[in-house]
Amino acid sequence: MRKLIPSSIAIALLCFTVGCRSNNTNQVEITLSGWQANPNEGKLLDQTIREFEAKNPTIKVKREVINSQYMDVIRTRLIGEVAPDVFYLEAFEAPTLMKFGVLEPLNSYIKPDFKLNDFEPNLLNAFKRDGKVYGIPKDFSTLALFYNSTALKNAGITQPPRTWDELRTAAKKLTSDKNGKIDRYGMGVVPELPRQTFMIKAFGGQLVDPNNYAAFASPEGLKGLELVIDQYRRDRTAAQASDVGANSNSEAFGQGRVAMTLDGAWAIPYLKETFPKLKFQTAEVPKINDRQGTMLYTVAYVMNRQSKQKDAAWKLIQYLTDEAGMKRWANQGVALPSRRSVLAGLNYDRNPIYSPFVSGAKYGTIWQAGETLPTIVTSFDNQFVSALLGQQPLPEAMKRAQDTANREIYLSR
Amino acid sequence: MTPAIVILGAFLVLPIICAIVLAFYRVQLLGEVDFRFAGLRNFIRIQDDERVWIALQNTIQYVLIVVPCQTILALLLALLLNAKIRGRSWFRVAFFLPTVTSSAVLTLIFMWIYNSNGLLNNFLSFLGLPTYNWLGDPEVALKGIMLMNIWATAPLFMVIYLAALQDIPESLYEAASIDGATTWEKFWCITLPFLKPVTFFVITIGIIGTFQLFDQSYIFSNGSGGPDNSTLTIVLLIYQYAFNRLDMGYALALTLILALTIMIATLIQRYFFKEESLD
């Protein structure tokens, strides 16, 4: 009992001070979670946040970086009701979160002076469901053809390939073989669905049917994918990163082990910093079947429905995505701003390195396809690799991938 | 007593009961929490799930190769270190080092070694042996993880064997020598029978550990279980269902199946060891 009294006094005091602190000021704290592609990007965002805090003294923003398994962490936190107030969301993951109603619809917050029409409609639509807007796209990137200018010049190729046939011819010339071991491949390939969906669409194939079942194994879908397999298996002018001992496609390109590759705008700062001697340029993805195509990736700021500080959260989203806010941190070159006016203002369309990415936004295939996509990706990636390695013919592999995915989707419904 | 019961109950018994009960439910955790009784549907679904069978096959293949290899290697190392060689304690430290390294670090180092232009392939081509794409080829990816795991866990079991070896009374060997037994006979008739309980322990722990393979194949394949499902293990599959697809009920059903498999494997092994000790 004697010990109990002092400790209870201590506890009471503690409660009192805690109470005081929250009553004392009206300051609220909100959390912003996201990933970080490079330290520079983080510095810029921190700076923007400090400016925001200076303009809104009652709001304090805690920025949190989750770099590995981002969505697993966010989903688990959403379940545990400790999710951040504002967080990044990839278009690919949006359908699931929108469906389960864990995101706050933003329609009531958006005022006309926010100019929602200024956003590239393709990007905004990725975060809409039943007429409600659940996220404000912060930026986007498309795929473009990166090519090693030195290698192309040495091989006597004067201009980057414009069609897929030209690309294959160029890749043959660029593949160099000294003493029986290929030391440079013409093309770097990433055999994953997020990079290959536009190949499925190139001849009119579809990734999913209206009921969100996988539908990529159609003859039209196979035609596009066959091009990738043919180049890898028959021409032997393409390589995966692991074939040439690199950790990523961008690294393989930077090291000069592949002379061309399709990659996003995020690779530009990386290549410039890590491989300063490398001379590279970009071009639009070569036409396939006389049609332009590429992938389109976007990320939005979304608000947690369970957030207790929704007004403050919206103020932050607005600050980061309105015209002035987007300009403030869009010129770093990791991804392109999603507002058309900002994009135009940065003159990216006239910058030779960035313009192919900008043009891709008009015809790109957005990386999103309903809430069954995670199942489809796993299944596709597994079988596509085995077709690439020649363990089974492509049509068989894709049929299996489609059946496996659809059985899983059916069983989980 | 009460605090112990409360803590054990909250962190050990309760989760087990929850897992068993929820395996019969469809659980929807994101957004509106929703439980629906599903009966045996989660278990019936396992039958139709191709990936479960691939994962089970991979895991069993892994257990069947890794457990004997690491046990024999551990025994050999222990015998070697038990012999009176010079610099014995130095060797003990050197052999034990891999166990001290965290498995994540270990995997990253090995991925660097397995790289197609990495250490291992350079070594193999130096010897004129065929090289492999250890990380990208489904045929060899799992073998790569096996090699890594044998290398990393054998030392731990080596220490256990070493302790047991030093418990064998020297007088037995002396008596055998007087009877004219060869070194081989001494090993076969004295050392091995004496090590039987330890071997049982080593194999049991080995089986449980290998059935629960997760971190290495997770890092190896960046969470996908690829290339071509070749490094997919049961625990990795459970992780994918539970945290990527949020299909908690089904993941729990798979967990129960894994627990059952491990129990059966242990029982079978116990049965064999009992049989032998009778004669």
Side-chain angles (χ1 to χ4, degrees), chain B:
Chain B
M1 230 0 228
T2 331
I5 291 175
V6 170
I7 290 171
L8 278 183
F11 295 105
L12 201 77
V13 182
L14 203 66
I16 293 176
I17 295 173
C18 278
I20 294 173
V21 171
L22 287 182
F24 295 92
Y25 280 80
R26 274 190 70 116
V27 189
Q28 155 60 44
L29 289 173
L30 200 60
E32 302 276 297
V33 180
D34 174 34
F35 298 96
R36 259 179 298 156
F37 187 67
L40 287 172
R41 266 183 53 194
N42 284 334
F43 293 92
I44 294 164
R45 185 176 156 191
I46 290 174
Q47 270 190 323
D48 285 334
D49 193 339
E50 198 185 15
R51 273 156 52 84
V52 173
W53 300 109
I54 295 173
L56 208 59
Q57 243 173 32
N58 286 342
T59 314
I60 289 175
Q61 189 196 2
Y62 185 81
V63 173
L64 287 182
I65 295 180
V66 171
V67 173
C69 284
Q70 72 187 15
T71 311
I72 292 170
L73 185 64
L75 182 59
L76 288 179
L77 286 177
L79 288 172
L80 199 71
L81 290 186
N82 202 36
K84 288 176 182 61
I85 48 169
R86 212 185 294 166
R88 200 163 52 160
S89 44
W90 191 88
F91 275 115
R92 283 183 188 171
V93 173
F95 283 155
F96 192 65
L97 267 181
T99 308
V100 184
T101 326
S102 101
S103 68
V105 176
L106 206 71
T107 313
L108 290 175
I109 294 173
F110 263 80
M111 281 176 77
W112 173 69
I113 293 174
Y114 284 150
N115 199 312
S116 14
N117 292 322
L119 204 62
L120 186 61
N121 273 357
N122 277 337
F123 182 67
L124 286 176
S125 65
F126 176 74
L127 294 178
L129 293 167
T131 58
Y132 298 103
N133 182 355
W134 295 90
L135 300 168
D137 186 350
E139 298 279 312
V140 290
L142 190 65
K143 313 264 182 321
I145 298 181
M146 285 177 186
L147 221 65
M148 178 166 83
N149 215 35
I150 292 169
W151 183 79
T153 46
L156 176 69
F157 296 132
M158 171 198 79
V159 173
I160 296 168
Y161 268 128
L162 207 54
L165 276 175
Q166 284 167 354
D167 260 2
I168 304 176
E170 200 59 34
S171 55
L172 281 179
Y173 289 109
E174 282 163 14
S177 305
I178 292 167
D179 284 345
T182 60
T183 322
W184 179 248
E185 280 168 337
K186 275 191 258 179
F187 171 72
W188 202 248
C189 299
I190 301 173
T191 316
L192 266 194
F194 248 92
L195 290 178
K196 197 173 259 176
V198 177
T199 309
F200 175 71
F201 172 78
V202 165
I203 293 181
T204 310
I205 297 293
I207 287 178
I208 293 173
T210 44
F211 261 116
Q212 292 175 344
L213 172 72
F214 171 74
D215 39 2
Q216 281 108 330
S217 57
Y218 180 88
I219 300 169
F220 212 79
S221 65
N222 201 7
S224 70
D228 195 14
N229 282 335
S230 60
T231 57
L232 188 70
T233 63
I234 293 279
V235 186
L236 187 55
L237 191 66
I238 292 171
Y239 171 85
Q240 286 183 355
Y241 276 117
F243 298 102
N244 286 341
R245 317 272 171 82
L246 293 177
D247 211 338
M248 210 52 89
Y250 185 50
L252 285 172
L254 284 174
T255 315
L256 289 191
I257 297 292
L258 174 66
L260 210 68
T261 318
I262 294 179
M263 278 181 206
I264 291 171
T266 315
L267 282 179
I268 291 174
Q269 192 226 349
R270 211 179 90 117
Y271 173 79
F272 277 118
F273 268 77
K274 257 209 178 131
E275 281 292 277
E276 280 179 18
S277 65
L278 278 177
D279 52 52

Side-chain angles (χ1 to χ4, degrees), chain A residues 32-51 61-67 88 138-139 269 273 301 320 328-335:
Chain A
L32 166 69
S33 291
W35 57 85
Q36 187 173 307
N38 59 36
N40 211 12
E41 182 192 355
K43 238 184 269 166
L44 224 69
L45 185 57
D46 271 336
Q47 201 183 319
T48 317
I49 287 172
R50 274 197 296 277
E51 285 165 26
V61 181
K62 201 176 117 202
R63 191 171 81 91
E64 183 193 32
V65 178
I66 305 167
N67 259 345
Y88 291 13
K138 76 183 187 81
D139 52 22
E273 277 162 31
Y301 288 112
L320 292 168
R328 231 170 269 129
W329 69 288
N331 51 8
Q332 44 169 327
V334 175

Side-chain angles (χ1 to χ4, degrees), chain A residues 69-269:
Chain A
Q69 306 304 320
Y70 176 80
M71 270 323 284
D72 289 356
V73 175
I74 289 291
R75 269 190 296 251
T76 321
R77 291 201 186 162
L78 280 168
I79 291 169
E81 307 193 355
V82 287
D85 304 280
V86 180
F87 54 95
Y88 291 13
L89 182 66
E90 253 185 286
F92 157 70
E93 299 278 359
T96 320
L97 294 195
M98 292 193 287
K99 182 188 166 199
F100 288 126
V102 291
L103 302 180
E104 175 78 9
L106 300 175
N107 297 51
S108 56
Y109 298 92
I110 299 168
K111 299 284 171 313
D113 63 333
F114 184 65
K115 288 190 201 143
L116 198 63
N117 300 333
D118 191 19
F119 286 92
E120 190 71 48
N122 250 345
L123 306 177
L124 198 59
N125 284 340
F127 301 97
K128 268 186 187 169
R129 190 186 170 101
D130 304 329
K132 284 181 188 150
V133 180
Y134 287 93
I136 308 293
K138 76 183 187 81
D139 52 22
F140 74 95
S141 181
T142 56
L143 290 183
L145 181 75
F146 283 69
Y147 60 92
N148 188 325
S149 329
T150 327
L152 256 74
K153 213 169 108 191
N154 292 345
I157 303 167
T158 47
Q159 59 168 20
R162 297 249 174 86
T163 67
W164 204 260
D165 286 337
E166 282 179 32
L167 179 122
R168 277 178 75 170
T169 321
K172 275 177 203 159
K173 283 188 198 158
L174 287 165
T175 304
S176 71
D177 177 350
K178 284 177 201 152
N179 53 52
K181 212 181 156 208
I182 294 178
D183 51 8
R184 189 184 65 209
Y185 285 87
M187 181 79 183
V189 31
V190 183
E192 289 166 3
L193 191 54
R195 301 282 186 111
Q196 301 295 344
T197 309
F198 79 101
M199 294 301 277
I200 294 171
K201 293 211 163 174
F203 292 89
Q206 286 299 325
L207 185 56
V208 292
D209 69 6
N211 293 322
N212 281 336
Y213 280 106
F216 51 76
S218 65
E220 296 84 24
L222 290 177
K223 258 192 198 169
L225 296 171
E226 195 78 62
L227 294 175
V228 182
I229 303 275
D230 266 2
Q231 195 186 11
Y232 189 90
R233 293 211 60 74
R234 203 171 300 160
D235 302 358
R236 298 199 174 273
T237 57
Q240 298 180 60
S242 66
D243 293 334
V244 294
N247 288 317
S248 70
N249 192 38
S250 324
E251 192 185 288
F253 179 74
Q255 291 174 339
R257 296 188 176 275
V258 300
M260 300 183 288
T261 190
L262 299 181
D263 218 331
W266 58 80
I268 297 171

